[in-house]
Amino acid sequence: MLWIKSFHIVFMVAWFAGLFYLPRLFVYHAQAIDAVSLERFKVMERKLYYGIMTPCMAVTIGLGLWLWGGYRIGFGQGWMHAKLALVGVLIAQHFYLGKLMNDFKYDRNTHGHVFYRWLNEIPTLPALIGIVILVVVKPF
């Protein structure tokens, strides 16, 4: 079980890195004006989203389900329900970032760099803090 938990944490960290970095790429992409930079950002965003973030999300969720169902970690406990709610927010954030990436891909972006600066921190940071506190402290 400790191996599964370890890899769950490793893939979660990699997924979070992408959740923080992709909106930062959007900040720079929204500020870019030359064609070469615009195309470079499209490639970087696509590779990050499909090559790192999405596989890491899938493995994180898969290992988490294995821990939850197979080892019954947190099963029926309040802290786990709260954690799963925050994971749901992160999954929604992940797919929303994918939608924004597609907007950039097809040159349909309607947001400025300030929007992406807020998006870079606001949804992800509280979820990370909340999940870590819930798992370590288990307040309820």
Side-chain angles (χ1 to χ4, degrees):
M1 172 186 64
L2 292 178
W3 284 100
I4 298 165
K5 191 183 291 188
S6 296
F7 283 108
H8 176 67
I9 293 168
V10 167
F11 281 93
M12 180 272 306
V13 168
W15 181 30
F16 263 98
L19 288 171
F20 281 114
Y21 188 52
L22 187 58
R24 178 55 54 182
L25 286 176
F26 293 162
V27 168
Y28 302 136
H29 195 159
Q31 292 176 318
I33 53 174
D34 62 290
V36 172
S37 294
L38 293 170
E39 291 307 311
R40 181 180 306 125
F41 283 118
K42 289 176 186 180
V43 170
M44 292 171 66
E45 292 157 2
R46 184 187 78 246
K47 287 183 177 184
L48 177 61
Y49 188 80
Y50 290 112
I52 298 172
M53 290 174 63
T54 300
C56 288
M57 177 189 70
V59 174
T60 300
I61 292 169
L63 292 174
L65 289 172
W66 189 354
L67 288 166
W68 188 47
Y71 293 102
R72 313 221 16 112
I73 292 177
F75 209 82
Q77 296 178 347
W79 67 268
M80 180 57 81
H81 294 287
K83 176 195 173 191
L84 293 174
L86 289 174
V87 170
V89 169
L90 291 173
I91 293 169
Q93 170 79 354
H94 180 96
F95 288 112
Y96 180 62
L97 292 175
K99 182 250 184 242
L100 293 172
M101 182 190 63
N102 280 327
D103 288 346
F104 275 114
K105 177 181 177 180
Y106 296 111
D107 301 316
R108 297 185 310 230
N109 175 47
T110 58
H111 302 290
H113 68 93
V114 175
F115 171 81
Y116 294 113
R117 288 181 194 278
W118 283 101
L119 186 64
N120 185 214
E121 306 289 337
I122 297 302
T124 312
L125 190 58
L128 174 61
I129 293 167
I131 287 171
V132 170
I133 289 171
L134 287 167
V135 171
V136 173
V137 178
K138 295 177 180 58
F140 47 90

